[in-house]
Amino acid sequence: MTLRRSLEEVCRCDSNADHGVNLNEVLLFHGSTHGKINGILNSGFDPRYAGLGTGAMFGQGSYFAHNASKCFRYAGDDGTPSETGGLRQCVLLVRALLGNPHYQEHMCPDRRMPPANTHSVVALTKAEGGCVDHREYVLYEKAAILPLYLIEFEHLPDCECLVCCA
């Protein structure tokens, strides 16, 4: 098996290209309920709240994905009536500094920080020898995450996606 680097999976930001430092800066998605998203936008990501209500397979960090659809199951519904009658959700697009990531194959729910000499955790997929269906990116430092855009959307009433059919 060949391990694909995280840069192959995410959109790379080139803002640090001329400074000689590899921050491994990428764009990732994060899904949560409207109420929690508002807290994140006001105060930033706080890894101390990791896993409350959703679990924390890779420890107490902030979780992200390179594909927005992975985040839909965490985005929830705030109960506000939508114009279409479908499910309302929101997802954040963030700029994240992965630095030197640790590629994790197994669950490690007691982790509070990345392993020595690394800055983040990339949970590998089952196809890569890991334990998740889609890669997950876990950051343990609030300063490594910058929310850029709030994406709000509604599913159509007859939507048959995995979230609506669950």
Side-chain angles (χ1 to χ4, degrees), residues 24-48:
N24 200 0
E25 189 173 1
V26 295
L27 297 176
L28 297 171
F29 295 98
H30 178 83
S32 192
T33 62
H34 283 81
K36 290 179 184 176
I37 292 284
N38 286 335
I40 291 168
L41 293 174
N42 288 328
S43 304
F45 283 89
D46 191 341
R48 294 177 299 176

Side-chain angles (χ1 to χ4, degrees), residues 26-91:
V26 295
L27 297 176
L28 297 171
F29 295 98
H30 178 83
S32 192
T33 62
H34 283 81
K36 290 179 184 176
I37 292 284
N38 286 335
I40 291 168
L41 293 174
N42 288 328
S43 304
F45 283 89
D46 191 341
R48 294 177 299 176
Y49 295 110
L52 296 178
T54 58
M57 283 180 65
F58 304 100
Q60 194 169 353
S62 298
Y63 287 68
F64 303 91
H66 62 264
N67 54 336
S69 62
K70 165 73 175 167
C71 301
F72 293 171
R73 67 178 287 198
Y74 303 101
D77 183 7
D78 68 354
T80 305
S82 69
E83 293 178 20
T84 64
L87 177 69
R88 291 185 58 164
Q89 294 189 297
C90 58
V91 172

